[in-house]
């Protein structure tokens, strides 16, 4: 069965510092990978996705992520964090085929705190 | 505006009192899904529906029912709620999911349910 692991439950950075949130997946075939952000009291908003092609994908709000098949990773990065980036971030993978078409499996989430 | 609408947004109820959380989307999406979010566990899929009259269990279906009589609606039914169903619930929808590809989910704003 597929799984997604976000090793860091909580990360704190200073405003203006760089950010990397880790995501590792376990899935036999080529994965379809996503990063979502959840601001306090809000639903989930898509930051970026990887389906195929260029392994470095750009998203909204200045975020990017790199798919590394050899490491089964899809880490999220941002060069300079803003206070408004404080939120919870979720990595997710979609299962295609078999008996679980379209099942989106989420990681446990990483809470980002930004210090001024 | 394209959106997924959930109601109610907040609900406090008592053990055993049947309740329904409605979900409606206006994007003509075929795929709909329910998730629950609990601290440290991320989002876990309860049920999903590939199309009208087609539903299937996700990872945590016990204690829940769903129906998909119309394309736009996908209500979540708790026949006899228990305190362990206290959670934040999200409905989501997308165009088709399948072997040929995945589509991005659009999430509702969430429904916070407390069962006493």
């Amino acid at each position: 069965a597929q799984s997604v692991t976000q090793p860091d439950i909580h990360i704190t950075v200073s405003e203006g510092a760089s950010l990397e949130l880790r995501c590792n997946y376990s899935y036999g075939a080529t994965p379809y990978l996503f990063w979502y952000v959840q601001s306090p009291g809000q639903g989930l908003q898509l930051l970026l996705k990887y389906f195929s092609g260029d392994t470095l994908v750009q998203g909204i709000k200045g975020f990017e992520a790199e798919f590394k098949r050899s490491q089964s990773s899809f880490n999220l990065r941002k060069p300079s964090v803003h206070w408004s980036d404080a939120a919870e971030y979720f990595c997710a993978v979609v299962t295609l085929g078999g008996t679980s078409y379209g099942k989106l499996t989420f990681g446990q989430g990483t809470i980002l705190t930004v210090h001024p | 505006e394209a959106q997924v609408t959930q109601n109610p947004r907040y609900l406090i109820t008592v053990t055993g009192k049947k309740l329904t959380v409605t979900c409606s989307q206006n994007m003509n999406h075929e795929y709909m899904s329910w998730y629950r979010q609990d601290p440290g566990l991320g989002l876990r899929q309860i049920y999903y529906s590939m199309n009208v009259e087609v539903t299937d269990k996700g990872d945590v279906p016990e204690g829940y029912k769903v129906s998909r009589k119309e394309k736009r609606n996908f209500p979540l039914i708790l026949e006899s709620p228990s305190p362990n169903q206290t959670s934040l619930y999200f409905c989501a929808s997308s165009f088709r999911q399948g072997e040929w590809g995945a589509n991005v989910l659009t999430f509702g704003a969430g429904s916070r349910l407390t069962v006493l």
Side-chain angles (χ1 to χ4, degrees):
Chain A
Q2 67 191 38
S3 66
V4 179
T5 302
Q6 295 178 243
D8 304 304
I9 297 173
H10 196 168
I11 284 183
T12 300
V13 299
S14 298
E15 192 169 16
S18 64
L19 172 70
E20 183 169 37
L21 302 182
R22 296 183 289 165
C23 172
N24 293 98
Y25 66 90
S26 170
Y27 182 50
T30 299
Y32 288 67
L33 294 158
F34 304 81
W35 275 100
Y36 283 87
V37 60
Q38 185 182 25
S39 299
Q42 304 294 315
L44 277 77
Q45 180 183 22
L46 179 73
L47 279 177
L48 47 79
K49 64 184 186 289
Y50 172 78
F51 284 2
S52 65
D54 192 347
T55 56
L56 183 64
V57 293
Q58 303 296 321
I60 62 171
K61 303 185 181 186
F63 285 92
E64 66 177 25
E66 186 170 14
F67 170 58
K68 292 186 178 179
R69 184 187 301 277
S70 61
Q71 299 177 18
S72 297
S73 69
F74 188 57
N75 294 348
L76 182 71
R77 301 193 294 248
K78 186 169 185 178
S80 177
V81 169
H82 187 262
W83 64 267
S84 61
D85 293 324
E88 189 163 16
Y89 292 80
F90 293 94
C91 181
V93 62
V94 166
T95 294
L96 298 175
T99 59
S100 300
Y101 283 8
K103 177 181 175 181
L104 188 66
T105 299
F106 285 87
Q108 301 92 327
T110 298
I111 297 171
L112 174 65
T113 298
V114 180
H115 281 321
Chain B
E1 179 187 354
Q3 60 186 356
V4 177
T5 303
Q6 298 178 225
N7 281 296
R9 293 288 314 281
Y10 302 91
L11 180 63
I12 299 174
T13 189
V14 295
T15 299
K17 185 176 181 181
K18 181 180 178 180
L19 68 90
T20 298
V21 185
T22 64
C23 174
S24 181
Q25 50 92 5
N26 62 0
M27 296 167 281
N28 202 35
H29 285 168
E30 291 186 3
Y31 179 91
M32 298 186 74
S33 182
W34 276 102
Y35 295 86
R36 61 177 289 173
Q37 182 181 10
D38 302 290
L41 297 177
L43 280 82
R44 294 177 292 168
Q45 190 177 48
I46 304 170
Y47 270 95
Y48 65 98
S49 170
M50 299 294 286
N51 212 327
V52 176
E53 301 292 1
V54 180
T55 63
D56 208 347
K57 296 178 180 178
D59 294 317
V60 289
E62 294 78 19
Y64 304 95
K65 285 175 57 177
V66 293
S67 68
R68 188 89 182 275
K69 294 186 173 62
E70 309 165 276
K71 199 171 192 178
R72 64 182 293 126
N73 295 323
F74 190 46
L76 179 69
I77 303 158
L78 286 72
E79 293 272 1
S80 182
S82 63
N84 65 12
Q85 292 178 296
T86 293
S87 188
L88 179 59
Y89 292 86
F90 287 100
C91 180
S93 72
S94 74
F95 292 108
R96 281 183 253 165
Q97 308 282 5
E99 281 187 336
W100 46 271
N103 285 292
V104 174
L105 285 171
T106 299
F107 283 82
S111 297
R112 185 166 292 283
L113 171 64
T114 301
V115 183
L116 302 176

